[in-house]
Amino acid sequence: MTVAVIIVAAGRGSRAGGGTPKQWRDLAGVPVLARTVSAFRGLGRITVVLHPDDMVRGVALFGGTVTLVAGGATRDASVRAALESLTGSGVEKVLIHDGARPLVPRAVIAGVLAALDTAPAAAPALAVTDALWRGTGGRVSGTENREGLYRAQTPQGFRFAQILAAHRAHPGGAADDVEVARAAGLTVDITPGSEDNLKITFAEDFARAGAILAARKDRGMDVRTGNGYDVHAFCEGDGVILCGVKVPHTKALLGHSDADVGMHALTDAIYGALAEGDIGRHFPPSDPQWKGAASEIFLAHAAKLATDKGYRISNVDVTIVCERPKVGPHAAAMMAELARILGISPNRVSVKATTSERLGFTGREEGIAALATATLIGD
Ligand SMILES: Nc1ccn([C@@H]2O[C@H](COP(=O)(O)OP(=O)(O)OP(=O)(O)O)[C@@H](O)[C@H]2O)c(=O)n1
Ligand SMILES: C[C@](O)(CO)[C@H](O)COP(=O)(O)O
């Protein structure tokens, strides 16, 4: 299902003070909003909602890599503006996130997305663990039962059509999109939140966020690489499918699926990085349902597995080994197709080709080989 991400950042950050609205201030040298957007790269189209006064700043920070929409006077008005801007775009699921939550862990996002596979709506939260008091005039005037109480976080995830209809029907004044959804009768699953996913609200929250970043740096970045290799023999035909692109040729490639050797190598590279075996384990060749299947299914599965496990795909590199057909004229289309399936920017995808100098089976034009590398990054 097509996923869109809405990041609301049109507030003025009055409680944080400091002159410049909090989303534009630096957190360990990087603007808060840039960090928030980075956390969602690769998941789908990103819409960032800005105050009308901040549009020039938004273009300078993001260029054309996100869609910018002018927000409203309240958070829910800002969300509504983004939802309306996405009508007719074919988006099926939407994640709505505060621009002021820059350190959202990938696992929190993955939890919401996984819950959306079966639930109409889902959002992360943390159970309240402290005792709850009422206070009057600086004195405790009562206690509240904390049983079943949660601290709500974002991203909050919905079916696009349902949350759009819910916002259109809502009178306004909701604290979050879960409140809007529930007012429309939707049930909302609670998924695991994280203490790292703090909302920068007050000035001291910058120091808390800085400490979380420093702790992450101490732990070291979780970077994983994987490689993949695949071979398919030529058979009679009039073209081959390489990295999702039909390339005219005097032969075809033989295989149980569409025999897209490049996409298979790349899929195995992602499974390899995740230590999740290979295509054969997830899509056994003995299973007739994969006969003639488009290899996009395999690659999309590997990419979703990466997201579900809390990783984003940083970059991929595919090398195709053959004398013919010539890959160069089709490489740009192949990179665009892989980028689309993986949900990452085309400048993070490389497809290149080499001959084997007429040596070996590729040199004798008996088949095509492909190698791939994938780099995955966790929090
Ligand atoms: N009219 C508004 C108000 C809020 N937000 C966004 O909603 C998120 C959560 O709101 P909050 O933390 O309350 O931000 P501010 O409204 O900016 O803060 P304050 O209330 O302190 O002014 C923020 O990312 C904020 O930019 C928005 O897009 N449009
Ligand atoms: C949506 C939200 O982040 C959920 O915790 C929160 O309600 C928005 O921030 P605000 O401080 O309530 O405006």
Side-chain angles (χ1 to χ4, degrees), residues 8-15 22 72-75 78 98-100 199:
V8 283
R12 294 295 77 189
S14 50
R15 285 171 289 175
K22 57 194 180 186
T74 58
R75 187 186 183 282
S78 293
D98 292 329
K199 180 164 72 66

Side-chain angles (χ1 to χ4, degrees), residues 11-102:
R12 294 295 77 189
S14 50
R15 285 171 289 175
T20 305
K22 57 194 180 186
Q23 60 271 35
W24 300 108
R25 286 169 54 191
D26 276 3
L27 178 59
V30 177
V32 167
L33 190 53
R35 288 188 182 277
T36 311
V37 168
S38 285
F40 288 88
R41 293 260 186 226
L43 291 175
R45 166 184 179 160
I46 300 180
T47 298
V48 180
V49 188
L50 297 180
H51 191 279
D53 293 351
D54 293 342
M55 286 298 180
V56 173
R57 206 175 214 163
V59 172
L61 188 59
F62 298 115
T65 63
V66 302
T67 304
L68 300 179
V69 167
T74 58
R75 187 186 183 282
D76 48 8
S78 293
V79 172
R80 168 96 186 261
L83 289 171
E84 295 290 354
S85 79
L86 287 167
T87 49
S89 64
V91 160
E92 289 156 294
K93 291 180 193 169
V94 63
L95 297 178
I96 305 173
H97 186 67
D98 292 329
R101 293 186 191 267

